[in-house]
Amino acid sequence: MILLTTLNARYSHAAFGLRYLLANMGELRDQTQILEFDINQRPLEIVERILAKKPRIVGIGVYIWNAQASLEVVSLLKRIAPEVCVVLGGPEVSHESEKQAIVGLADYTITGEADLAFAEFCRQWLNGTPPATSLIRASLPPIEEIVLPYEEYNDEDVAHRVLYVEASRGCPFTCEFCLSSLDSPVRQFALEPFLLSLDDLLKRGVRQFKFVDRTFNLNLKTSASILEFFLDRYEPGLFVHFEMVPDRLPEALRELIVQFPPGALQFEVGIQTFNPDVAALISRRQNYQRLAENLTFLREKSGVHVHADLIFGLPGESLESFGEGFDRLVRIGPQEIQVGILKRLRGTPIVRHDAEWGMVYSDHAPYEVLRTKLVDFETVQRVRRFARFWDLMGNSGNFQRTVVMLWDNDASPFQEFLAFSDWIHATLGRTHAIPLHSLAEVLRRYLNEMKGNPLPLLDDLLREDFTATGRNDLPKWLRREGEKVGASRPLKDKLLPKRQAARASALD
């Protein structure tokens, strides 16, 4: 028996790559199974469940989020059952492979897109003619020969997991921090069978689709066809996530986008930096004027939930420069701004800046930058905490009216929230396991004690924030005399993901 496995970041994530492998096993499909885990499960228990299946071949998907846990699993497997053939694949082991301990422990490693290569390996190994080398570099599979994986999503996936789909692979851009810059050219799956697969998923009850295409709006004809497909079949609860090129949004797409109700579409917009010198340094091309115009259109004229990404720690970027970019983005007003810390992904050319810009990265996954020529370690840690607290308070949608009280029209949102973040950390001493009521209390206290806002005003704003998102579990110090906690009202579209549903309700 052939077993395909990986450790997902969460149970709610379905391993897209494993389903591609399963769909392309050909005559070996019936003797191949998927067994998924998550990174919170103990390696010993994972190995016990794997060996209970009595596999001859175990294929393991290795990613940046499960690299360390996967190393432990492979080590245990080869100690307990050395006769089992362990085959690695995935982006984490596809570059700088020879240097990795996990590659040394495994029997074989297939680098690159293994949709077809894994099945071919299994045929050879089972026939007694295994490859002569343990490191197999898969050639780029012809996209028209890849069997689509969507039938491999089972009923449990449909009921409980986010389902991943893709209309294309590859990226035309050369951003040096991103593995997709190595994956060229862009290749499109045939549109008609892809849409037929989506239609089948819809009929099975799927309502949330996450497109993993790096540049969804690159091919305008394909983009329009997919948007029209979902628009024609829209039902409450439909949620579709796309990654988009921020400076490419022609009128034909705008006309389709505005027809979707609030919260149905989410666009992940990778801006990364507003500093043109830094962008040029890392080979990132984007038109900032068009980018701002497009984001402003999405916020003012559509119901799209905009999730914008910025990266801290890029070579040539100072704290002040990053803050200016953050402030610019806050003024545009996307619903979410994700602040990420730069990662040195294996194989990416970002390493060419190490000497000139003093780039120092962690040796352990996720390989985040520790300091640079312009940013010391203490500052990286401050921004790491900033990112966490911003996600809890700025992105969550729970404090839409109150958070903006941290700054006025002339102040820097970045500097003001950074000061607030420093204060929270000094006050609470942690960044996790902070209940919503505690977040509300520290925000209220800071705005009162440090910013001089009167408590009655703050209490009114916090009450509005709680009730606008359907909540009625007010903290004791927010309840009026004689007021009891009641049932929360239903959200406008409770079938949407939590943050999108809350913001859609807040529009009422």
Side-chain angles (χ1 to χ4, degrees):
M1 195 267 279
I2 302 166
L3 189 66
L4 297 169
T5 190
T6 194
L7 286 73
N8 296 320
R10 298 182 181 88
Y11 164 77
S12 60
H13 297 176
F16 198 27
L18 297 190
R19 284 158 178 80
Y20 263 114
L21 295 180
L22 184 61
N24 286 276
M25 288 301 291
E27 76 282 4
L28 299 176
R29 168 65 181 80
D30 290 342
Q31 54 185 290
T32 307
Q33 293 181 21
I34 287 177
L35 184 61
E36 292 174 272
F37 302 95
D38 66 63
I39 56 176
N40 295 313
Q41 294 176 259
R42 295 177 61 207
L44 270 174
E45 295 172 354
I46 291 172
V47 171
E48 181 181 18
R49 289 187 57 192
I50 288 173
L51 294 178
K53 295 286 186 178
K54 301 188 182 307
R56 298 182 64 188
I57 300 174
V58 176
I60 302 177
V62 187
Y63 301 85
I64 194 170
W65 61 81
N66 69 19
Q68 182 58 41
S70 295
L71 173 61
E72 294 182 48
V73 167
V74 172
S75 178
L76 288 167
L77 272 174
K78 296 311 296 180
R79 282 178 173 272
I80 298 167
E83 72 281 3
V84 174
C85 178
V86 175
V87 186
L88 306 180
E92 178 66 10
V93 293
S94 288
H95 305 278
E96 304 173 20
S97 309
E98 296 88 346
K99 303 176 182 178
Q100 299 186 50
I102 191 172
V103 173
L105 289 171
D107 297 287
Y108 296 92
T109 298
I110 302 176
T111 68
E113 296 181 21
D115 307 82
L116 307 181
F118 178 75
E120 182 57 29
F121 164 83
C122 291
R123 292 185 189 101
Q124 294 174 5
W125 193 88
L126 293 171
N127 288 335
T129 56
T133 176
S134 62
L135 190 61
I136 304 165
R137 302 195 184 280
S139 58
L140 201 65
I143 204 160
E144 65 276 5
E145 295 182 14
I146 298 175
V147 178
L148 296 179
Y150 305 110
E151 291 183 5
E152 305 302 342
Y153 286 125
N154 60 30
D155 291 343
E156 183 178 350
D157 299 329
V158 169
H160 302 293
R161 286 175 155 161
V162 176
L163 301 195
Y164 299 93
V165 298
E166 63 179 356
S168 65
R169 289 185 181 177
C171 182
F173 301 106
T174 56
C175 308
E176 296 177 6
F177 55 81
C178 182
L179 274 174
S180 294
S181 65
L182 309 177
D183 189 10
S184 181
V186 176
R187 297 162 292 145
Q188 298 278 340
F189 285 96
L191 187 58
E192 185 175 350
F194 173 68
L195 293 180
L196 286 173
S197 295
L198 295 188
D199 192 52
D200 182 60
L201 289 175
L202 279 168
K203 289 175 180 175
R204 292 177 60 193
V206 177
R207 292 296 177 268
Q208 295 187 27
F209 297 82
K210 186 166 185 177
F211 279 72
V212 298
D213 305 55
R214 305 302 296 180
T215 51
F216 166 73
N217 56 329
L218 186 67
N219 186 315
L220 300 181
K221 181 179 179 181
T222 299
S223 305
S225 296
I226 292 172
L227 288 172
E228 288 171 351
F229 170 88
F230 283 113
L231 194 58
D232 290 343
R233 293 160 179 79
Y234 175 78
E235 292 181 4
L238 178 68
F239 173 74
V240 190
H241 170 104
F242 300 107
E243 294 187 35
M244 66 169 288
V245 182
D247 54 7
R248 184 175 173 82
L249 198 63
E251 188 61 31
L253 289 187
R254 292 187 177 202
E255 290 176 359
L256 291 169
I257 288 167
V258 297
Q259 298 181 57
F260 284 86
L265 297 181
Q266 174 165 295
F267 289 171
E268 182 172 344
V269 182
I271 298 168
Q272 318 312 1
T273 180
F274 273 103
N275 185 323
D277 294 332
V278 173
L281 197 64
I282 59 172
S283 307
R284 182 170 181 82
R285 309 187 307 272
Q286 56 189 1
N287 184 314
Y288 288 106
Q289 181 177 345
R290 286 183 187 169
L291 180 157
E293 291 171 355
N294 290 338
L295 292 189
T296 299
F297 164 80
L298 291 173
R299 288 297 290 124
E300 295 181 355
K301 304 295 184 182
S302 81
V304 172
H305 186 100
V306 179
H307 174 110
D309 295 330
L310 292 174
I311 296 177
F312 181 76
L314 290 167
E317 185 101 84
S318 65
L319 180 70
E320 292 73 24
S321 167
F322 179 84
E324 289 170 4
F326 183 89
D327 290 347
R328 184 172 177 181
L329 194 50
V330 167
R331 306 299 184 197
I332 294 172
Q335 287 92 337
E336 297 186 47
I337 302 175
Q338 178 173 307
V339 175
I341 305 298
L342 176 66
K343 300 174 178 63
R344 190 203 74 82
L345 302 180
R346 295 185 187 274
T348 55
I350 195 78
V351 294
R352 72 185 184 93
H353 302 291
D354 286 2
E356 180 181 359
W357 291 101
M359 311 297 291
V360 177
Y361 300 91
S362 171
D363 288 334
H364 305 287
Y367 316 114
E368 290 181 332
V369 70
L370 299 174
R371 60 179 170 84
T372 76
K373 181 179 179 180
L374 299 180
V375 181
D376 60 20
F377 173 69
E378 290 76 14
T379 301
V380 174
Q381 288 297 94
R382 288 181 70 200
V383 176
R384 194 187 307 278
R385 291 190 289 269
F386 172 102
R388 172 61 179 166
F389 290 130
W390 179 263
D391 192 56
L392 290 173
M393 308 187 83
N395 289 342
S396 67
N398 291 322
F399 302 101
Q400 294 181 62
R401 295 158 182 79
T402 317
V403 162
V404 296
M405 295 292 290
L406 290 167
W407 60 85
D408 57 32
N409 291 332
D410 297 324
S412 161
F414 178 76
Q415 293 296 337
E416 294 294 337
F417 198 90
L418 183 62
F420 176 48
S421 171
D422 292 339
W423 184 86
I424 299 176
H425 184 250
T427 302
L428 299 181
R430 64 187 191 277
T431 58
H432 290 77
I434 307 174
L436 181 64
H437 287 193
S438 297
L439 289 173
E441 189 168 6
V442 295
L443 179 58
R444 175 182 187 254
R445 180 180 163 192
Y446 183 86
L447 287 171
N448 173 244
E449 296 178 8
M450 309 302 292
K451 305 294 288 184
N453 292 284
L455 288 177
L457 170 63
L458 297 175
D459 289 348
D460 286 344
L461 291 173
L462 285 167
R463 284 180 63 90
E464 290 180 28
D465 277 335
F466 266 80
T467 57
T469 55
R471 305 186 68 95
N472 199 27
D473 55 340
L474 296 173
K476 289 183 179 180
W477 44 269
L478 265 186
R479 297 177 207 163
R480 291 169 181 150
E481 186 175 352
E483 185 176 20
K484 297 181 179 180
V485 175
S488 297
R489 66 178 174 84
L491 296 176
K492 181 179 181 181
D493 196 337
K494 62 182 180 180
L495 299 177
L496 289 174
K498 185 176 180 181
R499 290 186 177 183
Q500 288 75 8
R503 288 184 180 271
S505 293
L507 294 175
D508 289 349

